Amino acid sequence: MRKFLVLLTFLCVLLAGCTVKQDISIKSGRDGDVFIDLELDPVFVRYINDVSETTGTSAAEGIFNTQEIYDGLSGFDAVDPVSVITPEPSRLTMIMKVDDYSNVLPDRYVPVIRIAESGSVRTVYFHLGTDNYGAVDKVFGISSNPVLAGLAPQSENPYSESEYISMLDYVFSDYFENNATADSILKNSFVQLNIRTDGKILESDMGEISGNNLKVRIPMIKFATLKQPVEFSFKYSF
């Protein structure tokens, strides 16, 4: 399945079983740079390797097809991939330039990021919920992949966190090692956003502010279930 590895890259931002660290630099305009460091939990690696006949990939050969991912990112008008490498089979690092954070998805879809300006202050809003996840799914075709569809957020009937944990325990029951459980893995699965702006960050409804830096840490299960929208906003001078 040609797009599987590109889908997997995106799904890891929405799926338990991995840790994602993102360094985001927002410049004086709406453009900036993004560095993403993604690492899969070993249980997810074993699972992918076992279903390699379906997905056309193998953990032993490297999970991420960097050229496919690079080409897939190049298909977005607002995104310019600079580097896509996999230093380890279970790890992926990417560097991208973004022309306009509010225009990463095509115009016909509800934006995940909105930007508003008032004088010399810019407010950035992030929102991902059941009301716009379907639009993201249409772009990446996640629900059309039988391996990924059941693990992704369910827009029509979202999992509760306890339901999602039970589902992962069932799906990965043959892949856990060293007394690991879905719950123990989820406790160490998160998205860490390190946001840096050209101007001073004035306020944020989440995370820690230090000058022109904002650190936001969100448990991965929040993205995986979307029982409640994942959202936050911050203001900075420019």
Side-chain angles (χ1 to χ4, degrees):
M1 194 171 296
R2 183 181 180 278
K3 292 186 177 180
F4 173 76
L5 295 173
V6 180
L7 303 183
L8 177 60
T9 303
F10 178 76
L11 187 60
C12 282
V13 180
L14 306 172
L15 177 71
C18 65
T19 295
V20 181
K21 297 179 181 178
Q22 287 186 279
D23 293 322
I24 302 172
S25 172
I26 300 179
K27 300 180 180 179
S28 56
R30 294 169 178 241
D31 62 320
D33 303 317
V34 179
F35 171 78
I36 298 176
D37 185 359
L38 182 154
E39 186 170 5
L40 296 176
D41 187 272
V43 68
F44 200 39
V45 175
R46 290 190 289 272
Y47 175 75
I48 294 171
N49 195 41
D50 198 40
V51 298
S52 59
E53 291 185 5
T54 301
T55 64
T57 184
S58 169
E61 298 173 357
I63 294 170
F64 304 102
N65 184 315
T66 55
Q67 187 61 52
E68 271 197 15
I69 294 169
Y70 185 96
D71 293 344
L73 292 171
S74 298
F76 295 91
D77 292 338
V79 178
D80 179 19
V82 175
S83 173
V84 180
I85 63 173
T86 177
E88 302 170 17
S90 61
R91 188 177 170 199
L92 178 73
T93 63
M94 299 181 287
I95 300 174
M96 297 171 283
K97 292 186 178 296
V98 179
D99 294 334
D100 184 344
Y101 284 106
S102 63
N103 192 34
V104 173
L105 295 181
D107 291 340
R108 63 185 179 277
Y109 296 121
V110 177
V112 174
I113 297 175
R114 293 185 297 110
I115 300 175
E117 296 177 6
S118 177
S120 61
V121 175
R122 179 175 290 129
T123 304
V124 178
Y125 302 90
F126 177 88
H127 172 90
L128 183 67
T130 56
D131 56 348
N132 63 355
Y133 172 73
V136 175
D137 187 10
K138 288 180 181 178
V139 175
F140 290 90
I142 296 169
S143 62
S144 65
N145 187 302
V147 176
L148 301 180
L151 301 176
Q154 307 298 303
S155 296
E156 298 299 323
N157 187 24
Y159 295 112
S160 67
E161 292 189 9
S162 60
E163 288 171 337
Y164 194 78
I165 291 171
S166 295
M167 184 268 291
L168 287 188
D169 273 327
Y170 175 77
V171 172
F172 294 134
S173 60
D174 294 332
Y175 305 97
F176 292 124
E177 293 183 350
N178 301 320
N179 298 317
T181 63
D183 188 48
S184 66
I185 290 172
L186 285 167
K187 287 179 179 177
N188 294 300
S189 299
F190 58 89
V191 173
Q192 174 74 53
L193 302 174
N194 301 312
I195 301 168
R196 184 177 67 256
T197 66
D198 276 359
K200 181 180 179 180
I201 297 180
L202 305 174
E203 63 180 80
S204 174
D205 55 14
M206 186 181 293
E208 300 179 359
I209 299 172
S210 178
N212 66 338
N213 291 275
L214 171 64
K215 292 185 177 181
V216 177
R217 179 168 171 149
I218 305 173
M220 191 66 71
I221 194 169
K222 302 295 185 184
F223 289 92
T225 62
L226 294 182
K227 189 70 172 180
Q228 299 293 329
V230 177
E231 53 189 3
F232 69 93
S233 65
F234 63 94
K235 294 182 178 181
Y236 69 98
S237 59
F238 67 96

